[in-house]
Amino acid sequence: MKKIFLVLCLGIIGFSRISSAARKTGEEITKVKQNAEKIESETSVDKAEEAKEIKEEKKKKKSQNPFKKKKVEWELVWRDEFDENKMDTSKWSYWENGNPWNSGNYLDENGDLVDQYGFKAKQYYLRDNVKFEDGYLVITVKKEDNKTVKIDGKDRKILYSSGAIHTKDKFTIHEGKIEMRATMPEGIGAWPAFWTWPADYSQASNIPAKEEIDIFEIYGDNLQRVTGTAHALKADNTYASFVGSDLKIKKNEDLTRFNTYAVEWDEKEIKWLFNGRVYKRLSMKKVGRSSENIFKLPHFLMINVALQNKTGEDGDVKFPTEMKVDYVRVYKKK
């Protein structure tokens, strides 16, 4: 009986010790777990802070990157807002009397087209078709029935009249930003343009201009696209023409309403822009592979509306039609 009692006592004591040890072990495990969670939490905070510091450091280094392209700042150096309702003759001249080129095409005594202007174009430029009104330059294109002009002292009939002006001998630009805001004329064959030639170019040389920049050309039979081109004279006196892809305008854009057309020209490239977005680039390296004329010359400006040979093929063309210019502005890099 004593033995049994002794065994029971020893068992109770052992169980009590085991229970006590288990409690201690559980408490220690809980403390370890709590410490681990605390360490993990502190580590996560440290990592987050470290990640934030790294991000800020990278941002700081990026902003200090000397190779990062800076936004070009432009300074306005020349402009015409056409607010005086008359031509500023200190800036512009009418396109006539062979300056800067032939005035246009006409019919001879047999009714055949005399192609003195080139391209078998249908227009003849008259100063009466250039107006300055309501703060705009307006070039009107008309279909003529019995209109004649004096050619070598003889009356010659013209098919269509138009207008053009230029800045030759009055203003030139070499590198910079050239911009126009304007509406375009409608009509099959209508061919408005804003373009440049070298300052010293003369048609008397019978050699094409060394360089030409077409800031834009628009074709009246497709008012969904804008064309920007450049031409450089090669050694054989023919042109290397850099046409590239035309711009297809957005659905909410309308060329018969006001839009901006521009080029940005520097020693490395020419960029063409429509409503502020670049749609074409031409590098001087590419030009140099075809011609030695890599646009190092000062250029004068020209605005005109020509008429292609196909003008008049569509009887639904509504004349008169007009090009309306809000402003011309020229900028230099600051």
Side-chain angles (χ1 to χ4, degrees):
M1 188 71 178
K2 287 182 180 180
K3 288 183 180 180
I4 293 171
F5 178 76
L6 183 61
V7 170
L8 286 171
C9 287
L10 289 173
I12 291 168
I13 293 169
F15 180 76
S16 176
R17 287 179 178 177
I18 291 170
S19 297
S20 176
R23 281 196 304 272
K24 288 181 180 180
T25 302
E27 289 172 357
E28 289 174 357
I29 290 172
T30 300
K31 287 181 180 179
V32 169
K33 187 176 180 181
Q34 288 175 343
N35 288 335
E37 288 175 349
K38 183 179 180 182
I39 292 169
E40 184 179 357
S41 176
E42 291 173 351
T43 303
S44 297
V45 171
D46 291 342
K47 285 183 177 179
E49 289 293 330
E50 185 180 355
K52 185 178 179 181
E53 289 175 4
I54 292 171
K55 187 176 180 180
E56 288 178 354
E57 187 65 27
K58 284 183 177 180
K59 187 176 179 181
K60 185 177 178 181
K61 285 182 179 179
K62 189 176 181 181
S63 65
Q64 295 174 346
N65 186 353
F67 300 103
K68 183 183 177 182
K69 286 187 177 181
K70 294 182 179 179
K71 186 178 179 180
V72 177
E73 293 186 4
W74 298 101
E75 179 181 6
L76 186 65
V77 295
W78 187 93
R79 68 180 179 180
D80 198 338
E81 306 290 330
F82 306 111
D83 291 333
E84 297 300 318
N85 291 330
K86 63 180 180 179
M87 185 164 78
D88 186 341
T89 54
S90 70
K91 296 178 178 178
W92 303 97
S93 298
Y94 291 104
W95 183 312
E96 59 187 2
N97 302 321
N99 185 23
W101 188 250
N102 294 313
S103 296
N105 295 339
Y106 56 91
L107 301 180
D108 64 15
E109 62 272 19
N110 299 316
D112 296 323
L113 187 72
V114 177
D115 192 22
Q116 66 163 3
Y117 179 84
F119 312 104
K120 294 185 178 180
K122 295 287 185 69
Q123 88 286 343
Y124 194 94
Y125 295 135
L126 299 174
R127 62 167 60 193
D128 287 346
N129 292 51
V130 179
K131 301 291 183 183
F132 297 84
E133 52 192 19
D134 301 323
Y136 301 110
L137 157 66
V138 182
I139 296 177
T140 304
V141 186
K142 303 175 184 177
K143 179 174 172 50
E144 303 290 356
D145 293 324
N146 294 299
K147 184 77 173 179
T148 61
V149 295
K150 287 287 185 183
I151 305 291
D152 297 328
K154 298 179 181 179
D155 289 333
R156 296 300 187 194
K157 188 176 180 180
I158 62 174
L159 297 171
Y160 298 87
S161 61
S162 185
I165 60 174
H166 62 89
T167 68
K168 183 173 171 58
D169 301 325
K170 295 183 176 179
F171 172 74
T172 60
I173 177 69
H174 175 243
E175 298 180 1
K177 180 177 180 178
I178 309 168
E179 183 179 69
M180 173 192 284
R181 183 173 184 264
T183 68
M184 296 298 116
E186 296 182 86
I188 302 298
W191 185 12
F194 181 33
W195 49 306
T196 74
W197 265 344
D200 61 353
Y201 177 65
S202 170
Q203 72 172 104
S205 65
N206 292 318
I207 297 174
K210 290 182 179 180
E211 303 166 350
E212 177 180 322
I213 301 173
D214 298 314
I215 300 163
F216 73 76
E217 293 178 278
I218 305 294
Y219 299 93
D221 55 336
N222 187 352
L223 291 176
Q224 298 301 309
R225 64 188 177 103
V226 179
T227 300
T229 57
H231 309 277
L233 196 65
K234 298 188 293 184
D236 62 358
N237 286 336
T238 63
Y239 273 131
S241 296
F242 305 94
V243 179
S245 300
D246 293 341
L247 168 72
K248 186 175 181 181
I249 66 172
K250 297 177 180 179
K251 289 182 179 180
N252 63 340
E253 292 171 327
D254 182 349
L255 298 188
T256 65
R257 296 181 179 179
F258 283 106
N259 297 280
T260 59
Y261 306 81
V263 292
E264 293 180 4
W265 166 22
D266 60 29
E267 73 280 1
K268 294 182 179 179
E269 66 176 356
I270 301 172
K271 296 189 293 189
W272 282 260
L273 300 88
F274 177 74
N275 288 338
R277 64 182 187 271
V278 176
Y279 68 93
K280 179 181 175 180
R281 296 173 183 264
L282 172 64
S283 71
M284 293 303 108
K285 286 184 179 180
K286 183 175 181 179
V287 176
R289 290 195 287 268
S290 302
S291 170
E292 64 178 8
N293 297 302
I294 53 173
F295 298 90
K296 292 185 177 181
L297 300 171
H299 285 214
F300 65 90
L301 311 178
M302 294 170 280
I303 304 171
N304 71 299
V305 182
L307 291 171
Q308 293 177 288
N309 184 42
K310 60 183 174 181
T311 302
E313 293 177 4
D314 187 334
D316 294 330
V317 176
K318 294 180 180 179
F319 287 102
T321 185
E322 64 184 25
M323 174 185 184
K324 187 178 288 186
V325 182
D326 183 22
Y327 64 74
V328 176
R329 295 172 184 167
V330 179
Y331 303 81
K332 281 283 195 176
K333 288 182 180 178
K334 286 187 177 181

